[in-house]
Amino acid sequence: MNLIKKLLEPHLRKPKPSDENALGFGRFFSDHIYKMNYTVEKGWHDSRVEPYGPLLLDPAALVLHYGQEVFEGLKAYRGQDGGIYMFRPRTNIERMNRSCARLCIPQLPVDEVLEHMFEFVRVEMDWIPRANGTSLYVRPTIIATEACLGVKVSHEYLFYIIVGPVGAYYPEGFNPVKIYVEEKYVRAAPGGLGEAKTSANYAAGLLPAEEAHAKGFTQVLWLDACDRKTIEEVSTSNICFVIDGEVVTAPLGGTILPGVTRDSALTICRHWGIPVSERRLTIDEVIAAQKDGRLREAFGTGTAAVISPVGSITYQGQDFAVGNGKTGELSRKLYDELTGIQLGTRPDPFGWVVKLA
Ligand SMILES: *Cc1c(COP(=O)(O)O)cnc(C)c1O
């Protein structure tokens, strides 16, 4: 498949955001969009880059009514040497295909999508910010576009990628977050959509997040849907606990998102000789470990923040400080290691980094 480029004349392109230290997250978009269509007759076709702009969708498009959608989130970085890099991009596109399988969306051709995504990022290279900790966020998305009000699997799809500069997640340094253990609502039940990156999971999390924010919390810790005891994940990150010198996190049992950052952090810990356990872990066990001083750290893992240290956990109205409420030693080390690998300032023993330019 060829990639067709219809690019804007340079004088029609937008000015870049003037302050790279105030980019925030997901507020700026580049000049172009990557698109590819799917029909039953033609399969995936018409791979192209065109000017960024609104989509033309039939109001009956299936995605708007029944949520047949999947997405991904990854980043392109400007390395220390001025080169352009992405971190484990194949893992994201392969995960997207697993999300597609769950949502009855046709599989993407992984190699072609990667090649075209890299070419699109090269087209938008000037949008990659330079300030410390900033990057270009890349959002691949697939939506069901067939017009039909019957509940069914769509016969037509649009795959698109939008990109935009995002800020340092911790402009004032690494601040531990306060998390609220959610007992009323659940994110995903066994057999549901929990391991797919699909919009329905985030829609389900909005009301719990609003209620937690109103109580002063930044993140919600999800428990399992069956007995509200087993730890699953936190808002849009996976979560790890350091108990008795071991890194413990929920196994990939179908109800949590298999995070690329989770896998990278666990791989690095094993490489460093730190014991890692992917096993069922209850909130009671975490609270008991906190009470007798065995819970040393907790941290979230995700593309946006990389590592987010947890300062306290609130469960059934009681606050439990994690460590001394400050960023833990392992959280800091993992953050430095992962961002170092991503920016090319540290060796990449696992071959995770792809150089685009
Ligand atoms: C995207 C996401 C994660 C983190 O995945 P990464 O690949 O590390 O970015 C974790 N949980 C949920 C619910 C997510 O949507």
Side-chain angles (χ1 to χ4, degrees):
M1 207 183 323
N2 278 333
L3 176 66
I4 310 287
K5 290 185 232 169
K6 282 181 278 179
L7 304 187
L8 283 171
E9 293 290 324
H11 72 277
L12 292 174
R13 299 185 187 183
K14 295 179 258 195
K16 309 288 185 295
S18 53
D19 185 358
E20 286 195 351
N21 293 309
L23 291 169
F25 185 85
R27 296 190 298 119
F28 296 101
F29 304 100
S30 71
D31 292 303
H32 300 93
I33 180 170
Y34 169 85
K35 288 181 181 169
M36 177 166 73
N37 292 86
Y38 179 92
T39 58
V40 173
E41 301 72 38
K42 290 181 157 176
W44 288 108
H45 63 279
D46 269 359
S47 181
R48 62 206 187 269
V49 174
E50 54 183 52
Y52 187 98
L55 300 176
L56 195 60
L57 272 187
D58 193 291
L62 282 159
V63 64
L64 300 175
H65 303 273
Y66 310 120
Q68 202 188 358
E69 185 259 14
V70 297
F71 69 95
E72 270 302 326
L74 63 166
K75 285 174 171 175
Y77 310 87
R78 202 176 282 278
Q80 187 90 325
D81 61 354
I84 306 302
Y85 297 93
M86 291 186 88
F87 184 70
R88 306 187 69 182
R90 178 176 293 271
T91 317
N92 288 87
I93 302 304
E94 287 174 348
R95 180 172 71 189
M96 190 168 212
N97 264 346
R98 293 198 301 277
S99 299
C100 284
R102 182 63 182 83
L103 273 291
C104 300
I105 295 172
Q107 293 288 293
L108 291 167
V110 174
D111 290 321
E112 274 182 312
V113 165
L114 281 171
E115 208 178 292
H116 294 185
M117 177 171 75
F118 296 160
E119 188 53 29
F120 176 45
V121 170
R122 285 185 203 109
V123 165
E124 300 297 54
M125 213 159 75
D126 290 348
W127 282 92
I128 307 179
R130 288 161 202 275
N132 200 11
T134 62
S135 57
L136 187 78
Y137 187 73
V138 177
R139 168 54 60 89
T141 309
I142 304 176
I143 57 173
T145 50
E146 184 184 345
C148 177
L149 289 185
V151 178
K152 65 174 278 270
V153 172
S154 181
H155 286 158
E156 293 166 18
Y157 299 87
L158 174 67
F159 172 73
Y160 64 85
I161 306 175
I162 51 177
V163 301
V166 297
Y169 213 82
Y170 301 108
E172 290 98 42
F174 218 32
N175 288 320
V177 295
K178 290 170 64 182
I179 61 180
Y180 176 79
V181 181
E182 178 62 65
E183 287 193 281
K184 184 162 127 200
Y185 303 108
V186 295
R187 174 180 175 274
L193 297 175
E195 66 185 337
K197 222 168 168 75
T198 183
S199 51
N201 288 328
Y202 306 86
L206 291 175
L207 180 61
E210 287 290 290
E211 292 185 6
H213 287 162
K215 294 181 197 130
F217 298 94
T218 32
Q219 308 263 341
V220 170
L221 189 150
W222 300 111
L223 299 177
D224 72 285
C226 302
D227 47 19
R228 309 278 204 281
K229 282 292 178 202
T230 310
I231 300 219
E232 302 242 300
E233 57 182 317
V234 169
S235 297
T236 56
S237 324
N238 298 109
I239 187 163
C240 295
F241 297 87
V242 184
I243 300 174
D244 288 333
E246 184 182 54
V247 177
V248 187
T249 193
L252 302 179
T255 54
I256 68 167
L257 210 284
V260 177
T261 320
R262 172 191 179 280
D263 182 74
S264 307
L266 298 184
T267 302
I268 290 171
C269 285
R270 289 183 177 117
H271 183 67
W272 284 342
I274 298 170
V276 170
S277 179
E278 298 174 61
R279 63 166 172 89
R280 181 173 178 269
L281 170 73
T282 64
I283 185 68
D284 295 335
E285 188 183 335
V286 169
I287 300 301
Q290 192 274 352
K291 284 183 177 161
D292 49 32
R294 291 177 300 115
L295 172 66
R296 305 312 297 266
E297 297 184 37
F299 54 88
T301 63
T303 295
V306 189
I307 298 290
S308 57
V310 175
S312 72
I313 297 172
T314 300
Y315 180 52
Q316 297 183 333
Q318 255 188 290
D319 297 337
F320 298 92
V322 178
N324 53 8
K326 305 247 167 58
T327 297
E329 195 190 331
L330 181 61
S331 307
R332 160 61 65 187
K333 265 186 78 178
L334 278 172
Y335 179 81
D336 290 344
E337 185 71 14
L338 276 165
T339 53
I341 293 173
Q342 288 163 348
L343 297 176
T345 58
R346 294 209 178 177
D348 173 25
F350 310 104
W352 284 338
V353 169
V354 178
K355 190 171 198 302
L356 270 51

